[in-house]
Amino acid sequence: MLDSEDLSSNLFLAFAGMLLAIGTLMVYSASMSTQGANVEQLYLSKHVIFLGVALLCGGIASQIPAHFWYRLSPILYLASVALLIAVLIPGLGHKVNGAQRWIRIGSISIQPSEIAKITLPLMVCRMRFFRTGESRETGLFPYFQLLAMIGLPLSLVLIEPDLGTTLFLLITSALALFFSRFPLRYFFMSAVALAPLALSAIALKPYQLARIRGFIQTWTSPEEAPYQVRQSLTTLGVGGLQGTGLGKGWQKLSFLPEANTDFIFAVIGEELGLIGTLGIIALWAGLYLSGLSLIRQSSQTGFASVAATTLLTQLVLQAALNVAVVTAMVPPKGISHPLISYGGSNLVTTVSALGLIVSLTKNRDTKASVAPEEQHHKEKNLEHEFSATSAA
């Protein structure tokens, strides 16, 4: 079914469009609460504005040739690091619930860590394919270069503090390295070195230990489980097979925390039932498979192929983690559902990533299909071959 590149591209965009449409509908439904009349209209209006900006950014990203992303990746990386530093400066960063993760410009809030979800994978891929289309050398010096480059934004996000996003960015970077055939021995070395740091970060933060204890209690003593986890599972259970009906859920009425953001999947389970939640999972599976097919059929190699695969896998992984949190399969952590949850930074970043994937898989011309250094290398080889043929 997916042998045609046009079919894969159309399916990829269709699955993304359906998820966006369902997300808009569920943001409106999940925003209904006891806070006041027509509050859902306010959330819907903001979400539509976010969606318009996201589609504009995604459309622009899809039209930029792959080799421009290769050249722009260091600039984008440095810009995201600058924003991560700025968010920690008193007066510039906006603090909510003890975490300083946003930059407030008037009524607009920007979350730099969301931007890093795009810029960091691009920079990792750039460093892995620096001079030719083949993977770069993997000696100790390049290894430590990669560690420093990845560690800088991760350290800044951890200071905010945001351990969950830090781990997510670490996993995303590991995916980029894995897809670029980074030697497994370096993964082992990194795991051994980072394990004590990760355990220390958890041990030094009482609320992190509380989350882990709460996760264990969910399965051992359900009555002592964290409030949001109990309410999430209750919300899913109320929906049954077919759900209570769109807009007719009760748990979102101030019982379920973060109903239109982190736990919107639970609202889908209550109102659309098991059928609705499985439908969302099926749409994500369709998006991933059509995206992989699109990447496979593209003539792009090296940087473009690995970057597109990493961004696609990252989006699906975030959706899977959100479902895992809502269903109490992993410790509770605030993570939004891409394309469906309410939130400007996440929506704009996600749709921009989709546009990037389309851009990186477009077969424009030979020069756009490879990094500039690789193109120069191929042109030199052709010149040598032509000279040898002429001499013969």
Side-chain angles (χ1 to χ4, degrees):
M1 287 180 60
L2 300 178
D3 287 341
S4 166
E5 183 179 346
D6 289 339
L7 177 59
S8 296
S9 178
N10 291 336
L11 280 175
F12 180 72
L13 295 175
F15 283 123
M18 284 188 281
L19 286 167
L20 282 170
I22 293 172
T24 303
L25 186 64
M26 293 312 303
V27 164
Y28 175 72
S29 178
S31 299
M32 298 178 186
S33 69
T34 58
Q35 295 177 4
N38 299 324
V39 68
E40 66 276 6
Q41 297 284 355
L42 176 61
Y43 278 104
L44 178 64
S45 300
K46 290 183 177 180
H47 186 78
V48 170
I49 294 173
F50 295 149
L51 181 58
V53 175
L55 291 174
L56 177 63
C57 293
I60 294 173
S62 69
Q63 299 304 311
I64 298 177
H67 67 277
F68 273 104
W69 289 117
Y70 179 88
R71 292 173 178 172
L72 286 173
S73 54
I75 299 173
L76 296 174
Y77 170 80
L78 291 174
S80 64
V81 169
L83 288 173
L84 288 172
I85 294 173
V87 80
L88 298 174
I89 299 175
L92 287 179
H94 182 66
K95 184 175 291 188
V96 177
N97 296 329
Q100 196 160 316
R101 305 171 186 171
W102 297 267
I103 295 177
R104 180 70 62 85
I105 303 175
S107 59
I108 301 174
S109 293
I110 301 173
Q111 191 171 356
S113 59
E114 289 291 332
I115 301 174
K117 291 178 182 178
I118 290 181
T119 61
L120 183 57
L122 286 178
M123 190 60 192
V124 173
C125 293
R126 157 86 186 211
M127 292 189 70
R128 290 292 293 137
F129 300 94
F130 185 66
R131 292 201 172 98
T132 68
E134 300 298 325
S135 297
R136 194 181 173 186
E137 60 175 319
T138 51
L140 281 176
F141 182 68
Y143 167 69
F144 286 115
Q145 276 186 317
L146 280 166
L147 278 186
M149 185 273 295
I150 295 171
L152 178 57
L154 263 61
S155 300
L156 294 171
V157 175
L158 186 61
I159 294 172
E160 292 181 356
D162 192 346
L163 180 61
T165 301
T166 303
L167 293 176
F168 187 79
L169 290 173
L170 180 62
I171 293 171
T172 299
S173 301
L175 285 173
L177 293 173
F178 178 78
F179 292 141
S180 65
R181 299 181 180 180
F182 198 61
L184 293 179
R185 64 180 180 275
Y186 291 118
F187 285 102
F188 178 76
M189 289 169 55
S190 302
V192 171
L194 291 175
L197 295 176
L199 293 175
S200 299
I202 294 174
L204 293 175
K205 300 289 184 181
Y207 66 90
Q208 299 291 357
L209 288 174
R211 285 178 176 177
I212 295 176
R213 284 196 297 268
F215 170 68
I216 296 173
Q217 288 172 337
T218 301
W219 297 99
T220 57
S221 304
E223 65 281 358
E224 298 179 6
Y227 175 79
Q228 67 268 35
V229 175
R230 285 188 281 116
Q231 290 299 325
S232 176
L233 294 177
T234 300
T235 304
L236 288 169
V238 168
L241 179 64
Q242 297 181 335
T244 59
L246 186 63
K248 296 181 180 179
W250 285 90
Q251 284 294 112
K252 64 194 176 186
L253 302 178
S254 300
F255 295 104
L256 178 67
E258 309 295 341
N260 60 359
T261 53
D262 298 343
F263 288 93
I264 195 168
F265 189 77
V267 178
I268 295 174
E270 181 184 16
E271 299 188 351
L272 303 182
L274 180 63
I275 295 174
T277 56
L278 292 179
I280 297 296
I281 294 173
L283 288 176
W284 275 110
L287 181 76
Y288 191 57
L289 292 176
S290 59
L292 289 178
S293 176
L294 185 62
I295 295 169
R296 186 182 68 251
Q297 293 167 20
S298 170
S299 65
Q300 305 282 24
T301 58
F303 168 81
S305 176
V306 172
T309 305
T310 302
L311 291 172
L312 176 63
T313 305
Q314 173 187 259
L315 291 178
V316 178
L317 177 62
Q318 183 174 339
L321 285 174
N322 175 266
V323 173
V325 169
V326 170
T327 55
M329 299 302 294
V330 298
K333 167 68 183 78
I335 184 168
S336 57
H337 198 116
L339 302 178
I340 294 180
S341 292
Y342 173 82
S345 295
N346 177 63
L347 185 61
V348 172
T349 301
T350 303
V351 178
S352 297
L354 292 174
L356 255 166
I357 294 169
V358 173
S359 166
L360 293 169
T361 54
K362 278 187 177 179
N363 300 320
R364 290 182 173 84
D365 51 51
T366 304
K367 289 184 179 181
S369 300
V370 295
E373 292 86 350
E374 181 185 359
Q375 177 64 22
H376 178 71
H377 180 69
K378 289 187 175 183
E379 289 174 353
K380 285 292 184 183
N381 286 342
L382 288 174
E383 287 177 7
H384 289 312
E385 291 175 8
F386 179 75
S387 299
T389 304
S390 300

